Amino acid sequence: MNPKHKFFVPREQISGDKVALYGTDMSHIKNVLRLKEGDSINVMSDPEAWLTVQISEIRQDEIE
């Protein structure tokens, strides 16, 4: 299944196979979309380079 939620993230938020989401993206994922650990989203930092990632952990200040 292809996730329909897409987020643009700065390159520095991607480290190896991990993506860290903060601020308004984190708030939107938690409070508006109500996504949970195990759900998938698409992220992009470079043009035409979408990555499909799975939410592994939702913390108070960060989503990984």
Side-chain angles (χ1 to χ4, degrees):
M1 184 172 154
N2 190 17
K4 62 181 176 179
H5 306 296
K6 298 178 179 180
F7 296 88
F8 296 93
V9 297
R11 186 118 174 101
E12 58 270 8
Q13 287 180 225
I14 300 174
S15 176
D17 64 347
K18 303 224 183 260
V19 177
L21 297 164
Y22 310 99
T24 58
D25 286 339
M26 182 187 70
S27 177
H28 190 74
I29 289 168
K30 283 173 48 175
N31 302 318
V32 178
L33 300 175
R34 298 180 187 253
L35 298 178
K36 304 288 183 210
E37 293 173 358
D39 290 337
S40 294
I41 59 172
N42 285 320
V43 297
M44 182 175 90
S45 66
D46 293 323
E48 300 181 29
W50 285 104
L51 302 171
T52 299
V53 297
Q54 185 176 31
I55 298 171
S56 62
E57 188 174 357
I58 298 175
R59 295 189 289 271
Q60 184 69 22
D61 60 342
E62 174 183 277
I63 293 178
E64 185 174 287

